[in-house]
Amino acid sequence: GTTVADVASVGIDAECNILVPNVISPNSDPFNEFFAIKNLEKYPGSHLLIYNRWGNVLLDDPDYKNNWNGKDAPEGVYYFVLTVTDKKGTVVPGYFELLR
């Protein structure tokens, strides 16, 4: 009966990667119904702008909650600018396709 004790140190990366979808398909099935950005809940107050192909703003939400489904928007490519409320104020620009 020998007792041995040891200490282990485990590092955890506190950075939560933002993952933005490249397609949404709001067609009343349970898949890809919303423009849902993975890990966005870690950054409350993140600002999202969504533009159509002519540069018109369709959404300007200063505290986006993954709830835009493009219900009044036609199929096509849309552009976004996400400003994340992280320490750096990261700006994530990009585009996605809306399919019906």
Side-chain angles (χ1 to χ4, degrees):
T2 304
T3 302
V4 178
D6 201 358
V7 176
S9 178
V10 177
I12 298 174
D13 184 4
E15 283 292 320
C16 289
N17 293 328
I18 296 291
L19 299 173
V20 182
N22 61 357
V23 173
I24 66 169
S25 58
N27 58 3
S28 300
D29 69 6
F31 307 103
N32 304 315
E33 291 297 302
F34 296 92
F35 187 68
I37 301 166
K38 187 173 181 182
N39 296 319
L40 188 63
E41 69 279 1
K42 307 287 185 188
Y43 305 100
S46 292
H47 185 209
L48 180 67
L49 288 161
I50 295 178
Y51 301 89
N52 65 14
R53 62 184 171 186
W54 297 284
N56 298 323
V57 175
L58 299 181
L59 179 74
D60 183 349
D61 191 333
D63 187 18
Y64 185 60
K65 304 277 191 218
N66 285 334
N67 56 354
W68 188 77
N69 67 358
K71 70 176 185 172
D72 296 326
E75 283 192 331
V77 175
Y78 292 84
Y79 303 89
F80 67 87
V81 177
L82 173 67
T83 304
V84 182
T85 57
D86 61 0
K87 294 177 185 176
K88 300 174 189 174
T90 302
V91 176
V92 180
Y95 63 92
F96 64 95
E97 188 168 4
L98 188 150
L99 302 173
R100 299 265 177 222

